Amino acid sequence: MDHRAKLDSARARRKPAGRGDLYSPDCPSRAVLDHVTSRWGVLVLVALLGGTHRFSQLRRRIGGVSEKMLAQTLQALEADGFVRREVFPEIPPRVEYSLTALGDDVAARVRALADWIEGNLGRILASQAAPRARRAGATER
Amino acid sequence: MDHRAKLDSARARRKPAGRGDLYSPDCPSRAVLDHVTSRWGVLVLVALLGGTHRFSQLRRRIGGVSEKMLAQTLQALEADGFVRREVFPEIPPRVEYSLTALGDDVAARVRALADWIEGNLGRILASQAAPRARRAGATER
DNA sequence: CGGTATCCTCGCCGATACTG
DNA sequence: CAGTATCGGCGAGGATACCG
């Protein structure tokens, strides 16, 4: 299906075996990055960094997430190998989510970012309030 | 459109002066996080960490981005106080983008994440390929 | 060169209903 | 409790055209 015949020479730069290149549109790392940095992906990873959670726990912890998006986000992260899903054959059923070793690693980076934003929100909002007067017509929503 | 009448008590929890709470749906930090972790926001920040860039340079560097989205992303990051925009009154016109002190700080965290993903793409793809056989006859796509 | 404005499509996401 | 299936809106985002 992928008939890109332009693999002649320009694309000669090899990647060191499994090294991704985020600047390339079709590098798989783009998809992974999108999952990790998705609106709910970030929050799920950070939450799981605090320990194993059940579905409902995550749903309650992460304000504003719908069941559908939470399930979808968890599936993507599980597929990427970041999240482990354990089903307990009980009644009522119980499912627990936790980070894999790989997931723990990314989540640490994600939390570093999330923490920085939370901790510097004051400075950020201050910077926002002090832009030189630009012209109107801002597409800001 | 904001007829959420439930602002009676739930919104009572104050934040310690400028500290954000990403778990709260209406905390401003959510918007900032979304800008920073947006599909193109991440790549723009990392690119600018490499130094000042002109519009076209960024466009060429970041594969797959459209002019519209690049402009939009840069505006959002500028509004948040992460990116500085300098216009040179020349002909042909030249505009340079660089990181502010604040932007340099976030970008470092973003790059840590981006670098990790690029560097561990091999392990990630391997994890994707090796999901433990859940129920028999996995619905492997 | 470095944008902005307009159109239009696609898929994200919420709401709802149903299953085990 | 913990999901999956389906429908529909609406906004993100690409293509194009035009301006300073």
Side-chain angles (χ1 to χ4, degrees):
Chain A
M1 51 166 74
D2 185 27
H3 50 280
R4 49 184 75 260
K6 51 168 57 177
L7 52 87
D8 47 3
S9 62
R11 210 59 61 221
R13 51 176 170 181
R14 298 267 179 241
K15 295 155 198 165
R19 169 87 193 177
D21 177 16
L22 287 171
Y23 290 122
S24 297
D26 25 54
C27 176
S29 60
R30 277 278 181 96
V32 174
L33 181 69
D34 283 350
H35 297 160
V36 169
T37 64
S38 69
R39 188 199 210 74
W40 308 117
V42 173
L43 300 178
V44 164
L45 289 174
V46 173
L48 289 182
L49 209 47
T52 299
H53 284 67
R54 299 181 57 174
F55 188 85
S56 304
Q57 286 181 310
L58 286 172
R59 180 138 162 58
R60 260 175 275 112
R61 184 93 179 85
I62 303 174
V65 71
S66 67
E67 288 184 11
K68 178 182 172 181
M69 291 317 298
L70 181 55
Q72 196 170 296
T73 300
L74 285 167
Q75 281 178 11
L77 294 177
E78 188 195 2
D80 284 343
F82 296 137
V83 164
R84 175 171 33 247
R85 181 175 185 270
E86 274 181 299
V87 182
F88 295 85
E90 310 173 353
I91 292 186
R94 191 176 78 208
V95 181
E96 292 189 345
Y97 294 91
S98 56
L99 293 175
T100 63
L102 214 54
D104 203 75
D105 235 12
V106 247
R109 267 82 179 181
V110 170
R111 181 168 65 180
L113 175 60
D115 277 354
W116 186 93
I117 291 181
E118 283 188 332
N120 291 272
L121 183 60
R123 291 169 59 200
I124 296 171
L125 295 180
S127 294
Q128 289 179 339
R132 69 202 138 212
R134 290 182 297 166
R135 58 191 176 283
T139 58
E140 187 63 46
R141 161 53 270 261
Chain B
M1 65 176 288
D2 186 26
H3 42 278
R4 47 181 80 255
K6 52 170 57 176
L7 53 87
D8 49 2
S9 61
R11 205 68 63 241
R13 51 177 166 183
R14 297 263 178 245
K15 295 148 196 166
R19 170 84 194 180
D21 177 15
L22 287 171
Y23 289 122
S24 296
D26 26 53
C27 176
S29 60
R30 277 278 181 95
V32 174
L33 181 69
D34 283 350
H35 298 160
V36 169
T37 63
S38 70
R39 188 200 210 73
W40 307 117
V42 173
L43 299 178
V44 165
L45 288 173
V46 173
L48 290 182
L49 209 48
T52 298
H53 284 67
R54 298 181 55 173
F55 189 86
S56 304
Q57 286 181 310
L58 286 172
R59 179 139 163 59
R60 260 175 275 112
R61 185 93 178 86
I62 302 173
V65 71
S66 67
E67 289 184 10
K68 176 183 172 182
M69 291 318 298
L70 181 54
Q72 196 170 295
T73 301
L74 285 168
Q75 282 178 11
L77 293 177
E78 188 196 1
D80 284 344
F82 295 137
V83 165
R84 174 173 32 248
R85 181 175 184 269
E86 271 182 300
V87 183
F88 296 85
E90 308 172 357
I91 292 189
R94 192 177 77 204
V95 180
E96 293 189 344
Y97 294 91
S98 57
L99 293 175
T100 62
L102 213 55
D104 202 75
D105 236 13
V106 247
R109 267 82 179 184
V110 171
R111 181 168 66 180
L113 175 61
D115 277 354
W116 186 92
I117 292 181
E118 282 187 332
N120 291 273
L121 183 59
R123 289 170 61 200
I124 296 171
L125 294 180
S127 294
Q128 289 178 341
R132 67 185 71 273
R134 289 179 294 172
R135 50 192 174 194
T139 59
E140 192 68 45
R141 54 174 176 134

